[in-house]
Amino acid sequence: MELTSLLIFAGALFVAAGSPGPSIAALVARVISKGFRDVLPFLAAMWIGEAIWLSLAVFGLAFVAQTFHVAFVIVKWAGVAYLAYLAWKMWTAPVAVRDGDMPREDTPFRLFFAGMAVTLGNPKIMMFYLALLPTIIDLASVTLVGWLELTLTMAVVLIAIDAVWVIAAAQARKLLKSQRAMKIANRVSATTMAGAAAAIATR
């Protein structure tokens, strides 16, 4: 693909993905509540989910999203339920912990599922790839190599954006030393996570 097309795609994705939404809210809430060391499965699922939407758009499989609409709805509501569960766990999390370390009870599989559900069920992401992307790039002319170039560009942009959010959330968490501050952080994170679930559920 032409460098200009890739740069336009990267710029549009940077604006769309960088703006706060359910995915970013869930990511930040998770890091503030539990730290960043075990957040990789959640992030990986978010990136894979976006790659799925990109592939559907590039290969002209938008009809698949419509044909299997029920499956996406199920994934969406399963994700909403799990985000609500995480919000409840954050709200009730103990604050008397040693060395400022929060307990990590969620398995990598659960975190991966949560990240995938948030991404596949996020209408903002869906609309970007299936509605906005075709107006930015002539998808009919995209070859397999072009798809790989778009996927790599997408990965670079998303990793850069999410890394900034993770670092910012991790730094904010370091400032929370007292039990009172940690309790407030847990409640704020729980509210943010619940808000992400509500945002997905109402769209």
Side-chain angles (χ1 to χ4, degrees), residues 1 17 20 28 37-38 40 67 73 96 110 116-117 119 121 142 159 194 196 201:
M1 293 189 61
V28 170
R37 293 181 181 179
D38 63 349
L40 184 57
T67 305
V73 170
R110 288 180 178 177
M116 188 66 71
T119 305
V142 176
I159 290 174

Side-chain angles (χ1 to χ4, degrees), residues 99-118:
D99 301 325
D101 191 19
M102 292 293 293
R104 293 177 173 84
E105 302 174 357
D106 298 307
T107 65
F109 174 78
R110 288 180 178 177
L111 289 175
F112 185 87
F113 170 78
M116 188 66 71
V118 166

Side-chain angles (χ1 to χ4, degrees), residues 137-153:
I137 295 176
D138 182 11
L139 296 179
S141 63
V142 176
T143 62
L144 182 60
V145 175
W147 168 75
L148 288 173
E149 292 173 342
L150 286 171
T151 302
L152 288 175
T153 301

Side-chain angles (χ1 to χ4, degrees), residues 4-5 24 33 38 56 68-69 72 93 101 113 128-129 136 146 169 184:
T4 302
S5 298
I24 295 298
S33 177
D38 63 349
L56 288 174
F68 296 96
H69 176 69
F72 281 105
D101 191 19
F113 170 78
F128 175 80
Y129 288 106
I136 300 174
I184 293 174

Side-chain angles (χ1 to χ4, degrees), residues 153-173:
T153 301
M154 178 207 72
V156 171
V157 172
L158 293 180
I159 290 174
I161 290 173
D162 292 338
V164 171
W165 282 108
V166 168
I167 292 172
Q171 291 300 316
R173 187 174 186 269

Side-chain angles (χ1 to χ4, degrees), residues 16 23 28 41 54 64 77 88 112 124 127 138 170 174 176 180 201:
S23 298
V28 170
L54 173 62
V64 172
W77 285 105
W88 175 77
F112 185 87
K124 172 187 170 185
M127 292 302 294
D138 182 11
K174 287 182 180 180
L176 308 173
R180 174 178 171 80

